Structure formats: C-alpha cells, structure tokens
Amino acid sequence: MPLPAELARLPGKAVASSTATRHSLLFMAALLLLLFVVTSGGLVQIALQQNARATEQSLFYLDKAIRAREKSILATLKDYAYWGEAYRNLHVTVNYEWAYTRQNLGPSLFQDFAYEGVFVVDPQGRTSYSVVNGQRVSSELGQWLGQDIDELLEQARRQTEDEEPVVGFAQVGGQAALLAATGFTTGGDPQVGIQTGPPSLLLFVDLLTPAKLQALGQDFGVDNLRLVAAPADPQASPTLSLTSVGAGPLWLHWEPAQPGRQLLYLILPLLGLGGAIFALITWLNLRWAIASAREVDASYASLYASQQALAASELRFRDVAEAASDWIWEADAELRLTYLSTRFQTLTGHPVSSWLGRPLSELMQFPGGLDAWLQGCNSHAMASHNCECQYRDLDGELRTCHLTLLRIEDGPMADGYRGTVSDITDELQAQARIEHLLLHDALTGLPNRNRMQAFLEGKLKALSSASKPLVMLSIDLDRFKPVNDSFGHEVGDQVLAEVSQRLRFALRDGDLVARMGNDEFILIVCGIAAAQEVERLCARLIAGIEQPFNIGSHTIFLGASIGVAMSPADTSEADELLRFADIALYQAKGIGQSSWCFYAKDMNERVIERRQLESDLRQALANEELRLVLQPRYSVSSQRIVAAEALVRWQHPQRGLLGPDSFIAIAESTGLIIPLSAWVLRAACREALSWSEALIVSVNLSPVEFRRGQLVAQIRAVLEETGLPAHRLELELTESVMVEDAEGALALMLELKGLGVRLSMDDFGTGYSSLSYLRTFPFDGLKIDRSFMTDLHAAENSQAIIQAIIGLGRALALTVTAEGVETQEQLDLLRKYGCDEAQGYFLSRPMPPEALRLLC
C-alpha cells in the first residue's frame, strides 16, 4: 500500500531541511567568525588610537616644555641685555671687573640659571667676553660651539632695535643646546650715551644635558626624554625635531605611554575565549540539527525548533531591552504610548502601566513643542531622528535626555513610532562642573583670574558706552603667613574660605569678588564714584576681615590692606587697572596694616624711583658707598661708655648721605639686606678691635637675614676673620623673628649662644607676647623702646611701665637699656629706677668711627 503523498514527501523534506539547517548553521558560524574578526580589528584599532592619542599628548606637553624653556632664557636675556649698565660696561667698553668680579654678568648665571655659556660678541664679530661653566675664559664663540652661527647673530643684530631677541638650537659636543642672542641696548637709561654703529651681542647657551632633559620631561610627564640620531622611521618612533642653526635637525626621543597595549592584553584573551565557546556551541548544534533532520519527524522537529528559536529571539530582545542603559518606547500613529520597556520604571521611577495609552507629549518636554519637532522630522527624509528634551521623574526632578524616533513603515504597528531614550543629566552636570572649575577657584569657589579678566573686560566695555564708573579693589591679607606656619595649611585654607564668604556678603548683586593667589583677592564694584563711598566700603571690608576667625580650637585675627583704582578716572584698560590697583595696594601696605590707598599718578613715579634706588643700592655695595657710624651706650650709674651700636649710612653719589629709613626696607624686600648686613657686621667687628677690651659692639639683625639659615656660619666666619672675641659682639633682634617661627628662632638663637655672643631684644614693649619670649628665649638684655621715653617725665603711667620693665629685667638677670634718652630729667628718672644703660641724643648722637675712638 503506497504511502500518503504527504508522508512520502517527508524524507525529501527531511533531506532538504537537513541541508538548509547545515547551511544556516555554517552561515551563522561564518557570521560569528566575521563578527569576532571585526570586533578584534576594532579593538586593535581603538588600542592603536589610544596609543596615538597618548603619543600626541606627550608631544604636546614636550613642545610646551621646550617653549617654556625658550621663554625663560629669553626673559633672562632681556633683563641683562636691555640694561644701561651692561651697555656701558660690555659694549661701550669691556669692563671685566664689573661683569665678572662683581657678578653682574658672571658666575651667577651658571649657578642660578645653569647657563653653561655666556658670550659677548663685538660689532666686528670677535668674542670680547666669555664665561663657560661659571669661569671666565678666553675662548672664541665659534671655537667653543664647534660651528658657525653667523646667521643667528646677524638676525639678532637686525632685531636689536625692536628689542626682540632670537633663539635657536644647536648641537654642542654631542648635546642639544638652546641658544639665545640679542644686542645690548641702554634700556631707556638717559644717563647712558648711545653709540653709533651695530651693537655688541649677548649670547646665552643652555646645554640640554641628559640630566636636564630627564628633569624637563619629568616636569611635563614625559618619560626618558633624550637626544638621539635621526630615527629610521619617524612615524613608528615618537620624536620631536628641533631646527638647528647648524647642519641637520636635532631629534628628541621619549617613551610614550601605551594605554592601548593594556587594553589588548585584557580584552583579547576574553574575546578569544568567548569566540571559542561560541564555535564549540555552533559545532555541537550543527551535529544535533543534522542528526535530528534525518529522522522521520524532521519536519515537525524543524517546526518546533523554529518556534523555539522565535521564543529565544523574543527573550533575547527582552533581555537586551532591560539590560540596556536606555529605555525603549513605541507609540501609535497618534503618538500614544503602546510599549515601554521595564527599564523605563528603573530610570524614571514611574510605573509602566501609568503611562501606557497616554500621549508622548505629556511625558516629554520638547523644545518648541512636539508638533513643531515632528514637522521638522517629516521635512527631512532620514531613517531616524533625535533631539534633546526633558522629563520629570517620580520625585519631580527635571531630567535631560536624548530621544531617538523611527517611523514604522509596515507590520501591525505601521504608521506608528518607536525609539529609545538616553538620560544625559549626569553627563551635562559633569560638564557644567568642569566648566565651573575652569573659571573658579577650587578652594573658595570664587571666580579665578580667567573669570575675573573676562568679567572686567565685559564690564569696562559695557560701562564705557554708558559713562558709568567702576572701582577695583586689590586686597591682601595682613598676618596670614604666620597662620599657615603656626596652625598648618588646613587651618589656613579654612580661613581663606571664611574670608571669601565675608567678602561675598559685603558686595551687591552684579559685583564680583575673585581670588587671585594665596591671600590676594580682587573686588570689582560698579556704580560708585564718590571717594567717600569707596572709603566706607573699604572700612566695611577691613572691619569684616578683622572679626576673629574661630577655626576649631583656634581664634585667629587678621587684617587687610586695600589698593583702589577707578575707571575711567584712572584708566579704562583692564590690564592697567589691575596694575594701578596693585601699585595702590603696595602703597597701602607701606602705610601700615589695615589701611587703604587710592591710586595716584605720582605712585607710578615713586615705583620707578624705588626701582632706581634698588639698582643704585646694588652698585653701592660694590662701589664702597656704605659708611659705618656708631652710637655710644652709657652706663646710667657711672655715665661711662659700655657699648656702641653699629649703624649704617649710604653716601649716594647724587642724593648725598642717606639714612637707613631710605634704603633698609628696599634691601629687605629685594634680599640685598644679606650682603648689606654682612658688610655692617664685618666693619663693626673690625672697628671694635681698636677700642678698649671692655667695650661691646652691638649689631642689628634683620628678620629676613634671620630666616635665611646661614646666619650662624656667617657670624662664626666674621669672628674668625676679624679676631674679635665673641663675648664683645651683641646681636639685637626684633620680636618679629620669633612671631613668624618660634621653634626655628629658638633653635637658631641657641646656636648663636653656642658661639659665645650676646643676644638682646630690641624695641621691647611693642609686641603682644614679649614677656613669654623673655622667659623662653636665651636673651642677655633688652632695650626699652623709645616710645616709652617721650613723655616719661610728665606721664605717671609711662613711669610705671618703665619701672615694671626694669624690675622684670632685673628678675630675669637681663641688662636693661633705655633708648631715646633726650633730656636730663629722663636720665635722672632712669637712674632712680635702677636702669642699667641708656642711649640717646642727649648722651651722644651717632658718630664716625674715628670720633668714637677719641672717646674710648
């Protein structure tokens, strides 16, 4: 009996099904293999791109480092070449004593800046002055460099008139070298005559030794920076080419970071393992499908397998939809929501069921409205469209998202829509925080210099058209440095944060307060022009800052100095307004703490005059213009000289004899106080050798000198050089050296006592904690400040203070000296109260050393 036609066709169906199944599975295996290859290739490409970005970044920072080094050597070269004294002593004539011996253009350039070569080339091209590794030599420039750089020197001569130095690279002794050259100019000094003809050239040579290259690379995050020969393949090896003034370029090589290599080492093995597992599963499925298809019920098994495959596909879609970071939506032709993935509830907090059937426009807020956006979408023939919109989550928070929309062309949902929604709120907030950090100070949250500059320029531009005033206040905190030194930077940071809050509260909306540096702030105030209003604001700001700061268990007191510049009264340029405010601040700090000062045009002249006086003071030390004077100190009981205080005067060639008030502050602010004090100490010790052996010489120490750390060695060297017994030298210290660093001051004073010298506290009674200092520190004497002597005879409270200080000194076995004695009555009262010594104009004025010898 023949089989039914349907049953007879089953074997053929089974064979066809088996072949189709085998081909399908082979195609899937090939597709998976292709996917694996594409994924691996993409991963390798990403790794290579990461490595390339790392190389580009290191190249950027290396180029930035080279430019910074060029800028540094050019700035130093300008300071020395565009200087009237250098023009006179190295172009008009070659003064080796001025240039090398006085170290105006000598060893200090090697010691301070590590410039191995300093050369002066005269207009004829001869090397007239050369310093190599800090030593003066007679080498010719071309001989030392080993090459001809006439082209660079000629360019430097051409650009001298514009005061534009030139810079270039060369290879010197197998090492890269940075060359900077320019011609000497008078620097605008009217006292220096200008010579006709081409100028002499000043050239600095900075050898980029292996050690310098390593340090330069480490400063900018570039590893193993070194000079190499020309690379065989510049594309494969990260190098930076430096154009050389000699033959051929110079090549810098370094080891760039390789982030992509780590990515490959981590991901590729996992990807290979996954591919092997997929291949194994595919092979097993192929064997199983072929065996099943050969059975009689292959057609039914194939149908069943198809149903299972469909179910698996739906399950995979559901799993992918729920595992994705986005949520998926579908809507009908009227844009009423028909499907929302369960990820919707996870991200928004809203139940899915509460939004099904509701319009999409109720959930999402589109810019300009949903209808307007859809019109724009329909006018562009694209497969999908996207826009940035907003929605509110279950807590009412407004969230920003990225929505994609795709129109469904066929199937049950024809003319409907589907798409995805990505929440980008956190990304936008992170971007906003980054932009905020770029324009604001991280510690205080105040605008930084960049934000202040933009705000100031915008305000000046806006106010100039309306002719409205603008006031800039430059604020510097008084007594802030001891806060960091005494309590630590954490407390200092909290104080700065509190100061910023107080400044914010003192200003109106529309004004700005910015932090410029450590304890420097800038305030920009609009709409006030009267000086009285500005002064009231300054007084209010200072009063706010002077309120105590309670940080933890510490109570801290600060003050503030304020410099004021106004626009358009002073200037309408932003940079000049900042500079004028700084000049006014400098004047305010000179007046005293907690004060303010308005900018005046003559302040700029005084700054220039001060700079000239600073330059003259540098020459005074070398030209022996300092003069030693001595003021005797007498025993109150016997009225005999027991000591003399060493003082200094400056015999200025144009201004005559200057007292210390004219130049000591400049010397302290510029560091010249160190050589000046060394001169006074040496001269005083030598002079004391001509006195009676019972007399003591007293020398004042500057707080700046006290902090430098070489004081003990310097005093020991002077005592050994002059032969003066240590017990005949007395050092006078002010209380400020102990306020700034009490522990360090005590250790240094104990070392000085170890030398055998005497220590005396100067200006006693003017500090708030002098009593504790006398008990803690190893003083031999104290000097009563002259302010207590002014009305000693008439004021009973002054007499009581003097009597108390003398009693305190006696109790602590200290020698008490009264300064500023100007009348017989004052001397009689000091004798009555048992004061040990006295000093003042009534007894003797400061006198030259030869006059004091006659009294000894």
Side-chain angles (χ1 to χ4, degrees), residues 506-582:
L507 296 184
R508 308 161 304 179
D509 293 339
D511 298 334
L512 179 130
V513 53
R515 184 184 178 205
M516 302 296 286
N518 183 31
D519 59 345
E520 299 177 9
F521 297 86
I522 287 290
L523 276 66
I524 300 175
V525 183
C526 303
I528 63 173
Q532 295 84 352
E533 293 183 66
V534 177
E535 289 188 343
R536 284 196 293 269
L537 175 60
C538 292
R540 189 167 71 251
L541 292 171
I542 292 176
I545 293 175
E546 287 181 338
Q547 294 298 314
F549 294 85
N550 297 312
I551 308 296
S553 60
H554 307 295
T555 300
I556 299 169
F557 295 89
L558 298 178
S561 299
I562 304 177
V564 182
M566 306 180 71
S567 176
D570 295 326
T571 180
S572 295
E573 298 294 329
D575 292 339
E576 288 193 352
L577 197 64
L578 280 167
R579 186 167 63 88
F580 291 168
D582 285 340

Side-chain angles (χ1 to χ4, degrees), residues 672-797:
L672 292 174
I673 192 66
I674 304 300
L676 190 150
S677 294
W679 182 92
V680 173
L681 178 66
R682 185 173 289 103
C685 290
R686 286 175 179 167
E687 181 61 29
L689 290 174
S690 64
W691 306 342
S692 167
E693 295 184 358
L695 297 185
I696 293 172
V697 64
S698 179
V699 180
N700 291 280
L701 291 182
S702 166
V704 176
E705 184 182 14
F706 200 81
R707 292 192 297 265
R708 287 301 175 95
Q710 302 297 323
L711 183 61
V712 176
Q714 177 185 341
I715 293 174
R716 180 187 293 111
V718 170
L719 291 175
E720 293 175 354
E721 175 187 338
T722 60
L724 181 72
H727 68 274
R728 293 187 59 195
L729 175 61
E730 180 180 80
L731 303 175
E732 296 186 19
L733 295 79
T734 59
E735 185 182 357
S736 61
V737 301
M738 291 161 279
V739 171
E740 294 179 0
D741 183 8
E743 293 182 4
L746 177 59
L748 186 54
M749 291 171 67
L750 291 174
E751 289 188 62
L752 291 173
K753 288 298 295 178
L755 297 178
V757 300
R758 290 173 51 85
L759 299 178
S760 176
M761 177 183 280
D762 197 12
D763 300 335
F764 180 78
T766 59
Y768 67 89
S769 57
S770 295
L771 294 179
S772 64
Y773 293 150
L774 285 179
R775 184 182 62 183
T776 306
F777 291 83
F779 287 107
D780 299 288
L782 61 88
K783 299 182 76 173
I784 304 174
D785 186 70
R786 65 181 64 250
S787 61
F788 294 106
M789 303 301 298
T790 305
D791 56 351
L792 179 61
H793 185 70
E796 293 183 0
N797 58 347

Side-chain angles (χ1 to χ4, degrees), residues 17-18 21-22 25 284-294:
S17 177
S18 175
T21 301
R22 183 167 58 251
L25 290 176
L284 293 175
N285 284 336
L286 178 61
R287 290 190 60 188
W288 172 82
I290 292 175
S292 299
R294 289 172 180 171

